Amino acid sequence: MKTAVLIPCYNEAKTIGRVVADFKEKMPHADIYVYDNNSTDNTAELAEQAGAIVRYEHKQGKGNVVRTMFREVDADCYVMVDGDDTYPADFGPRLEQLVLSGKADMAVGDRLSSTYFTENKRPFHNFGNVLVRRMINFLFRAKLNDIMTGARAFSKDFVKSFPVISKGFEIETEMTIFALDNNFAIKEVPIAYQDRPQGSESKLNTYSDGLKVLKTIVNLFKDTKPLAFFSILSLILLLISFGFFLPILIQFVQTGIVDKFPTLIVISALTVIALLNFFCGVILSVLKKQHRQNFERQLTVLHELARLKQEDAH
């Protein structure tokens, strides 16, 4: 069974050598790939000196790097970690074991149940992690602890069927929602977290990247649960319509007169839009079900091709 350690990097010269060395020590059997994303320092050179296989992705953004890594690397287990030395390498074998034993399609290193809130010195990041966790657990009826961790391991089925849409740091949220929506097995393991070492700077922008994550959640909720999404929109429009219609109805009952025809026309239009939204949700949910059926068939084909490949190898 082949394991690949994937490390997306952008200007991590201060830490990448140590990260590669730690994983070579903890997982000597694994191939370690460092994907450099237009670094302006000597990240790539230091990674190569430490023994990593260095490749490049010139489209900026972590999501773009993950797309290329998943397409180019072939393995049975993929361990992904950031190059900032915030995750001790000893989490790798634990997540790897869960994937290779078939217990997880995505094994997650859970920072939030461990040392994250004491080590991380950025309060808005703490708040954002909790907010995103609560939103996803509520919208997708899950009980996950850490949505945005950069420490993960994946099965081959997950990697080769995951269509990367995000370009930046919202990629972790997209992975989680994809796993939940397609019934992949998710396991979480509490892991230690340490803040970046002195002189190493985070590439995250608290506000702009936070807004991108929230936008990603809304869009993926719409795409994966269209009936629920459009039903909520329809309900909001109907409540607004009813709020404006109620005074008109009371006046008509009391006086037999309707003198707010423009308001009544707008209410009628909102009601029609609400009904159209609901039926759009119904139609899209049928299409989503068909897409899910096709996805399961594609997974079956992937398994069959893998079996035939193994038979040919023997």
Side-chain angles (χ1 to χ4, degrees):
M1 304 293 281
K2 183 179 178 182
T3 296
V5 177
L6 308 178
I7 310 175
C9 273
Y10 173 63
N11 287 346
E12 299 290 4
K14 291 185 179 296
T15 55
I16 187 59
R18 187 185 313 157
V19 173
V20 173
D22 287 348
F23 273 92
K24 285 183 72 67
E25 178 186 349
K26 297 294 183 181
M27 304 180 71
H29 58 284
D31 294 327
I32 300 176
Y33 294 84
V34 170
Y35 274 73
D36 185 72
N37 192 208
N38 301 316
S39 294
T40 56
D41 58 15
N42 58 341
T43 294
E45 291 84 354
L46 291 172
E48 192 168 12
Q49 290 173 14
I53 302 167
V54 177
R55 294 181 180 176
Y56 298 88
E57 170 53 54
H58 300 293
K59 294 189 292 293
Q60 196 66 39
K62 187 175 182 179
N64 290 322
V65 181
V66 170
R67 181 187 298 109
T68 301
M69 291 191 303
F70 282 6
R71 286 177 179 174
E72 292 184 353
V73 178
D74 187 56
D76 299 294
C77 174
Y78 301 77
V79 177
M80 190 172 77
V81 65
D82 295 333
D84 55 9
D85 197 30
T86 55
Y87 305 98
D90 57 8
F91 83 85
R94 289 189 286 160
L95 300 191
E96 177 192 37
Q97 193 274 334
L98 287 171
V99 171
L100 293 181
S101 65
K103 295 178 181 178
D105 291 294
M106 182 173 73
V108 178
D110 172 17
R111 311 158 299 164
L112 302 191
S113 298
S114 181
T115 56
Y116 182 80
F117 292 111
T118 56
E119 285 286 328
N120 184 49
K121 304 301 188 295
R122 294 157 292 184
F124 281 106
H125 285 210
N126 296 342
F127 171 78
N129 273 280
V130 173
L131 176 63
V132 169
R133 177 179 66 186
R134 289 179 178 176
M135 285 184 65
I136 289 182
N137 283 338
F138 174 75
L139 293 175
F140 293 88
R141 298 180 182 179
K143 295 181 180 179
L144 300 177
N145 294 317
D146 195 347
I147 306 298
M148 301 174 69
T149 177
R152 298 169 186 261
F154 310 97
S155 66
K156 189 169 187 174
D157 281 351
F158 184 97
V159 166
K160 297 306 180 183
S161 63
F162 175 47
V164 180
I165 299 171
S166 302
K167 298 178 181 179
F169 284 100
E170 61 272 29
I171 182 67
E172 283 91 359
T173 305
E174 184 183 346
M175 289 174 176
T176 301
I177 293 176
F178 176 78
L180 289 170
D181 184 52
N182 290 286
N183 200 32
F184 281 109
I186 304 174
K187 295 290 184 182
E188 291 186 304
V189 176
I191 65 170
Y193 175 89
Q194 57 195 22
D195 205 6
R196 282 175 169 269
Q198 190 74 24
S200 175
E201 296 182 2
S202 173
K203 315 307 182 298
L204 281 170
N205 184 296
T206 301
Y207 302 104
S208 63
D209 287 320
L211 288 174
K212 288 177 184 177
V213 169
L214 294 177
K215 182 181 177 182
T216 297
I217 293 173
V218 173
N219 286 333
L220 290 174
F221 179 58
K222 171 176 63 69
D223 295 340
T224 57
K225 296 185 178 295
L227 182 57
F229 179 84
F230 286 102
S231 294
I232 291 171
L233 282 183
S234 299
L235 180 61
I236 292 171
L237 291 174
L238 288 174
L239 289 174
I240 293 172
S241 299
F242 182 75
F244 282 101
F245 176 69
L246 188 59
I248 298 174
L249 178 62
I250 293 173
Q251 182 189 38
F252 176 76
V253 171
Q254 292 175 345
T255 65
I257 298 172
V258 176
D259 59 1
K260 295 182 179 179
F261 279 103
T263 303
L264 199 58
I265 292 171
V266 172
I267 290 170
S268 301
L270 283 177
T271 303
V272 171
I273 293 172
L275 293 174
L276 287 174
N277 263 297
F278 175 74
F279 286 110
C280 281
V282 172
I283 294 169
L284 289 172
S285 67
V286 173
L287 295 176
K288 177 65 174 61
K289 183 177 180 180
Q290 293 175 346
H291 170 76
R292 177 64 188 279
Q293 292 170 341
N294 290 334
F295 178 79
E296 292 296 333
R297 293 190 189 100
Q298 290 169 2
L299 279 183
T300 302
V301 171
L302 279 175
H303 278 284
E304 184 63 18
L305 290 174
R307 186 184 64 81
L308 292 173
K309 185 178 178 180
Q310 287 180 346
E311 289 181 355
D312 290 340
H314 292 306

